[in-house]
């Protein structure tokens, strides 16, 4: 990969690293990491700061994922690389923005669960996969009101859809790897789900 490609992946990581939830907390005079679940994601912002800040954080986090993919495609001509490399470059930038969101360089390599940013990546990469994952998320959330479960099932749905639809191999690898990463970030949530202690929307996190 050329210097332009490396710079693009690094930029995607830094874009993902923008700590939206943390900044929203700072605007209210608190460190969001010291409240609720300790995550900087929109769900913890909702429980701690309310609907308005949570919606703003959600939208920005989704846009980070969208921007990483669109910028990778826009900057690719500067690489002066074979066109066949484009899907792989996009794949690396997609993974980088997810890593940046959950392991932000500005927060000591901590952050959120990358679900919202992952949705942005999906929407920019393949809107049918993104819409399908979002639909499953909303349906599960409406039924059980557990954001973590909805996020994990949406990640699984995205992995299934990207394999069923005629998507290129790099896109399939990105979505599957990203889905597995999101599931791994939800390890504590899985333990609470099995124990029956995972909070629902409208309840405070332990």
């Amino acid at each position: 990969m050329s210097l332009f490609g490396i710079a693009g992946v690094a930029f995607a990581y830094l874009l993902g690293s923008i700590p939206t939830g943390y900044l929203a907390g700072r605007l209210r005079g608190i460190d969001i990491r010291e409240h609720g679940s300790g995550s900087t994601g929109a769900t913890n912002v909702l429980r701690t700061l309310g609907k308005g800040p949570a919606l703003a954080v959600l939208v920005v986090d989704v846009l980070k994922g969208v921007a990483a993919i669109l910028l990778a495609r826009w900057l690719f001509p500067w690489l002066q690389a074979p066109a066949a490399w484009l899907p792989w470059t996009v794949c690396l930038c997609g993974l980088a923005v997810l890593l940046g969101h959950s392991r932000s360089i500005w927060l000591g390599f901590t952050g959120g669960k990358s679900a919202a940013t992952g949705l942005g990546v999906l929407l920019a990469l393949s809107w049918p996969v993104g819409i399908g994952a979002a639909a499953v998320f909303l349906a599960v959330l409406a039924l059980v009101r557990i954001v973590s479960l909805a996020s994990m099932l949406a990640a699984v749905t995205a992995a299934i859809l990207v394999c069923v639809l005629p998507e290129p191999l790099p896109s399939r690898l990105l979505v599957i790897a990203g889905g597995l990463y999101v599931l791994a970030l939800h390890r504590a949530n899985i333990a609470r789900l099995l124990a029956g202690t995972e909070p629902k929307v409208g309840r405070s996190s332990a």
Side-chain angles (χ1 to χ4, degrees):
M1 182 180 291
S2 70
L3 289 177
F4 277 115
I6 295 172
V9 172
F11 181 79
Y13 169 79
L14 292 174
L15 181 64
S17 288
I18 298 172
T20 319
Y22 174 80
L23 293 175
R26 281 304 184 192
L27 288 175
R28 296 289 186 90
I30 67 169
D31 186 339
I32 193 72
R33 297 172 298 175
E34 298 175 354
H35 298 266
S37 66
S39 171
T40 61
T43 303
N44 197 36
V45 173
L46 174 63
R47 295 191 180 111
T48 307
L49 301 177
K51 295 179 181 178
L55 179 60
V57 169
L58 176 65
V59 170
V60 174
D61 285 347
V62 170
L63 289 177
K64 289 193 299 186
V66 172
I69 299 301
L70 295 184
L71 284 173
R73 289 172 173 164
W74 180 68
L75 292 173
F76 184 79
W78 294 89
L79 297 176
Q80 297 181 346
W85 289 13
L86 174 58
W88 296 102
T89 302
V90 170
C91 175
L92 290 175
C93 288
L95 291 174
V97 74
L98 294 179
L99 181 63
H101 180 79
S102 59
R103 297 288 182 263
S104 172
I105 192 174
W106 314 117
L107 299 179
F109 300 101
T110 61
K113 302 292 177 61
S114 295
T117 301
L119 174 60
V121 169
L122 290 175
L123 290 171
L125 187 71
S126 173
W127 67 264
V129 176
I131 294 296
V136 169
F137 174 87
L138 293 173
V140 175
L141 184 62
L143 288 173
V144 299
R145 296 172 58 206
I146 300 177
V147 175
S148 60
L149 181 60
S151 298
M152 289 187 286
L153 290 178
V156 172
T157 299
I160 294 172
L161 287 176
V162 81
C163 291
V164 172
L165 296 175
E167 298 292 339
L169 178 60
S171 295
R172 290 179 176 179
L173 293 178
L174 166 58
V175 175
I176 292 171
L180 290 174
Y181 184 59
V182 169
L183 292 177
L185 292 173
H186 282 82
R187 292 189 303 274
N189 303 87
I190 293 172
R192 289 194 295 268
L193 285 167
L194 294 174
T197 58
E198 180 73 345
K200 296 185 178 182
V201 172
R203 296 182 184 177
S204 61
S205 177

